[in-house]
Amino acid sequence: MNKGEQLYEGKAKKVYATDDPSLVVVSYKDDATAFNGEKTGTIVGKGVINNRMTNMMMQLLEENGIPTHFVEELSERETVVKHVEIVPLETIIRNVSAGSFAKRYGVEEGIEFAEPTFEFSYKDDDLGDPLLNDDHAFALGLATRAEIDQLRTYTLKVNEVLSEYFRTLGIRLVDFKVEYGRLPDGTIILADEISPDTCRFWDLETGEKLDKDRFRRDLGGVEEAYEEIMNRLESNR
Ligand code: TMP
């Protein structure tokens, strides 16, 4: 697999063409941003961890019936994935109140919900990724009704699989964001990444935060938190 020209550079990853138009290479950076790029920094070793972890999670989800973009890990930081058109919706599940939910509705963090809550935000940096509902997503032509149903069904299943998996590692999956893409025939598959950048992980016993909130909130021990998650994943294989 030959890595070709760079097609795109995002905040945490770069995407390269390959000699096969149906495949691209994703390269994970150590760059970190928060608050829509207002805060920037480096989390040393993050790219390696997020690449490895995402690939492990994508394979686990495939085994559980969720189609994903994963094809092949190329190197520590690089992975071959299927070339998709990203659906511009961030799909978020919350099992426990935290982050923007706690802030928006004026509640404390750590309230366990009776059922997982599903939400969309519109993937648009200029607008600050605003929250939107199904009707808004449909009205804006971001997805069809059938796709919206599919995204919800898949994301709830992702939550079931990941929540159970992380519980066995002594980790509470508080919330997470995933993204999907469309193949040329319109099939929806899971894309992007699943990492401490995109999930909230709290230690089951101590409640310690083991995710990017350590960077967002200047809590210190950022690299150590990413390494702790990776060590638990590796020790479970
Ligand atoms: P929030 O509470 O800030 O809305 O975040 C919900 C989840 O989404 C949390 O697990 C972190 C993740 N997330 C991203 O992956 N990218 C983002 O840009 C933001 C704001 C959150």
Side-chain angles (χ1 to χ4, degrees):
M1 181 58 55
N2 289 315
K3 200 170 92 184
E5 60 161 329
Q6 183 178 308
L7 299 175
Y8 171 79
E9 176 161 9
K11 286 181 280 205
K13 299 186 283 299
K14 295 180 186 179
V15 180
Y16 296 89
T18 68
D19 35 30
D20 179 343
S22 72
L23 301 175
V24 293
V25 171
V26 178
S27 177
Y28 287 75
K29 305 189 285 185
D30 285 351
D31 299 354
T33 67
F35 315 118
N36 203 15
E38 264 175 50
K39 178 183 173 101
T40 61
T42 302
I43 301 175
V44 177
K46 170 170 91 80
V48 172
I49 288 173
N50 288 4
N51 182 44
R52 190 81 262 280
M53 176 170 170
T54 295
N55 294 342
M56 291 171 79
M57 297 302 100
M58 292 285 175
Q59 288 170 85
L60 174 69
L61 291 167
E62 285 274 359
E63 286 162 19
N64 284 277
I66 310 278
T68 80
H69 71 169
F70 176 75
V71 177
E72 184 193 1
E73 191 166 297
L74 267 191
S75 68
E76 269 197 327
R77 287 177 186 271
E78 294 179 333
T79 295
V80 184
V81 300
K82 292 178 184 161
H83 191 19
V84 293
E85 171 203 15
I86 290 287
V87 178
L89 289 168
E90 301 196 334
T91 60
I92 296 162
I93 293 273
R94 301 179 189 274
N95 297 305
V96 178
S97 66
S100 69
F101 182 96
K103 193 163 183 222
R104 177 176 302 114
Y105 303 114
V107 296
E108 62 192 286
E109 295 199 309
I111 303 166
E112 178 119 21
F113 301 139
E115 292 179 9
T117 72
F118 176 86
E119 87 193 30
F120 281 126
S121 60
Y122 182 16
K123 194 172 149 59
D124 185 318
D125 282 341
D126 292 340
L127 299 176
D129 297 341
L131 180 71
L132 87 182
N133 69 22
D134 290 17
D135 284 2
H136 299 155
F138 181 68
L140 291 167
L142 305 179
T144 65
R145 290 288 184 189
E147 286 176 333
I148 289 169
D149 289 347
Q150 179 77 268
L151 297 178
R152 178 190 298 272
T153 306
Y154 278 157
T155 309
L156 285 165
K157 179 72 184 176
V158 169
N159 184 49
E160 266 177 42
V161 174
L162 295 187
S163 290
E164 175 56 31
Y165 183 74
F166 282 103
R167 198 172 301 122
T168 67
L169 305 183
I171 293 164
R172 192 174 185 196
L173 180 60
V174 170
D175 56 29
F176 64 89
K177 181 267 299 181
V178 286
E179 297 181 21
Y180 295 85
R182 295 185 189 98
L183 292 171
D185 71 358
T187 308
I188 297 271
I189 63 175
L190 187 65
D192 196 46
E193 68 179 279
I194 298 174
S195 72
D197 278 19
T198 61
C199 305
R200 284 195 173 93
F201 297 123
W202 294 357
D203 184 272
L204 257 184
E205 307 232 302
T206 65
E208 189 189 359
K209 296 185 196 318
L210 297 171
D211 57 61
K212 194 179 167 188
D213 271 348
R214 302 204 72 86
F215 169 79
R216 295 188 188 100
R217 303 178 187 189
D218 296 322
L219 299 176
V222 183
E223 277 86 359
E224 290 79 0
Y226 281 70
E227 281 157 21
E228 175 65 23
I229 290 286
M230 199 60 225
N231 288 340
R232 293 198 201 183
L233 286 167
E234 295 283 6
S235 66
N236 195 51
R237 296 176 73 215

